[in-house]
Amino acid sequence: MNWFYYLAPLFLQTLIWVPTRLFFLFFGHLEIRGLENLKAVGRDGHGVIFAVNHSGELDAVIVPAALPFLSRLMPMFYTSREQSFYKNSGWRQIFYGGLLFKLWGAHPVKIGLMNYELSLQTHVEIINHGNSVLIFPEGSTTKDGNLKKGKGGVTYLAYKTGVPIVPIYIQGLFKLNIKEWFSRRRQVSITFGKPIAAVELFPSGQPFLDASRDDFLNAAQIVMARIAALS
């Protein structure tokens, strides 16, 4: 991947950190929990996978804002849908999935290939370069506020790269509307859980030499259970 797409997110996410943090603190009474669970991750120059419940469009913004300023885990890179997915999404098609997304650190997953190696090859490369990736294991935002089953991509990334998964639970952003937000009626919290080592995700205690799609799906439910426990 072009070095420019590594540096641009670092610059933009650092530039916006202060106003974004203040935005959530003032309007959402932001409470951040579990930062002590991040002390051991990323110190060896390796990346980390952040696995987050998907309750709304601000989920991807609040995670980097909740990390300390100039955290070693920044910049944050993301998984997103391809640009064509947003073509009937109104104003979102201007920003989502294209160049602006890449500048922010979001790179599309190739959907429908039924092949994790092909669909997530860019994100494996990002992690292997020592960077962090944020992924929503549910694949889409919740419709009723409840967690859905996880998809196997999150555990494939851990299996392929050997880096830990940090479960995160965000509360207070589901069905957020402008009136509630600017009247400061919402209480928003984000909780970072204890890292899950790649070897914890498989019953044998060791990664499979030839893990199947079902193995990754089953392991993803362990991750979802850890996210649910943070609620």
Side-chain angles (χ1 to χ4, degrees):
M1 188 173 66
N2 192 307
W3 64 268
F4 178 74
Y5 292 116
Y6 281 110
L7 293 180
L10 178 61
F11 173 76
L12 291 175
Q13 292 174 28
T14 302
L15 183 68
I16 203 174
W17 187 93
V18 171
T20 305
R21 180 71 166 256
L22 292 176
F23 176 76
F24 281 107
L25 285 171
F26 183 76
F27 291 107
H29 312 280
L30 176 63
E31 183 177 0
I32 304 168
R33 307 169 185 147
L35 284 178
E36 67 276 5
N37 291 320
L38 304 182
K39 289 181 179 179
V41 297
R43 290 191 177 279
D44 54 3
H46 295 148
V48 63
I49 300 162
F50 291 105
V52 192
N53 65 304
H54 205 357
S55 60
E57 292 190 77
L58 291 177
D59 294 339
V61 181
I62 193 175
V63 176
L67 293 174
F69 185 61
L70 294 179
S71 168
R72 67 181 179 278
L73 300 175
M74 295 286 281
M76 191 76 66
F77 290 84
Y78 303 87
T79 57
S80 74
R81 297 296 294 266
E82 64 281 1
Q83 190 171 20
S84 60
F85 177 79
Y86 304 103
K87 64 181 180 181
N88 296 317
S89 301
W91 61 268
R92 293 175 181 82
Q93 64 185 301
I94 301 174
F95 301 101
Y96 287 17
L99 178 60
L100 288 176
F101 248 34
K102 280 190 175 182
L103 293 177
W104 181 253
H107 296 268
V109 174
K110 298 174 183 177
I111 303 298
L113 297 179
M114 303 299 288
N115 184 315
Y116 293 128
E117 184 174 3
L118 292 178
S119 61
L120 291 167
Q121 58 184 346
T122 299
H123 299 88
V124 169
E125 179 185 340
I126 288 170
I127 295 170
N128 284 338
H129 277 81
N131 294 289
S132 303
V133 165
L134 185 150
I135 185 170
F136 300 108
E138 298 163 279
S140 60
T141 54
T142 178
K143 303 299 182 185
D144 57 8
N146 297 315
L147 293 176
K148 299 185 291 185
K149 287 187 66 174
K151 299 182 183 297
V154 61
T155 47
Y156 170 80
L157 287 175
Y159 165 81
K160 191 70 175 178
T161 64
V163 304
I165 296 173
V166 173
I168 300 176
Y169 187 79
I170 298 171
Q171 191 166 7
L173 296 180
F174 177 62
K175 288 192 174 179
L176 176 66
N177 62 58
I178 293 177
K179 183 178 180 180
E180 281 185 309
W181 186 249
F182 286 105
S183 62
R184 304 180 67 209
R185 297 178 186 174
R186 285 295 183 108
Q187 173 70 52
V188 179
S189 67
I190 178 170
T191 305
F192 295 88
K194 294 181 179 179
I196 309 168
V199 294
E200 293 182 55
L201 296 171
F202 304 98
S204 65
Q206 296 292 331
F208 293 111
L209 295 176
D210 188 20
S212 70
R213 192 173 188 85
D214 285 342
D215 295 328
F216 296 127
L217 287 170
N218 291 334
Q221 308 326 309
I222 299 174
V223 176
M224 294 306 301
R226 296 285 187 93
I227 294 173
L230 299 174
S231 66

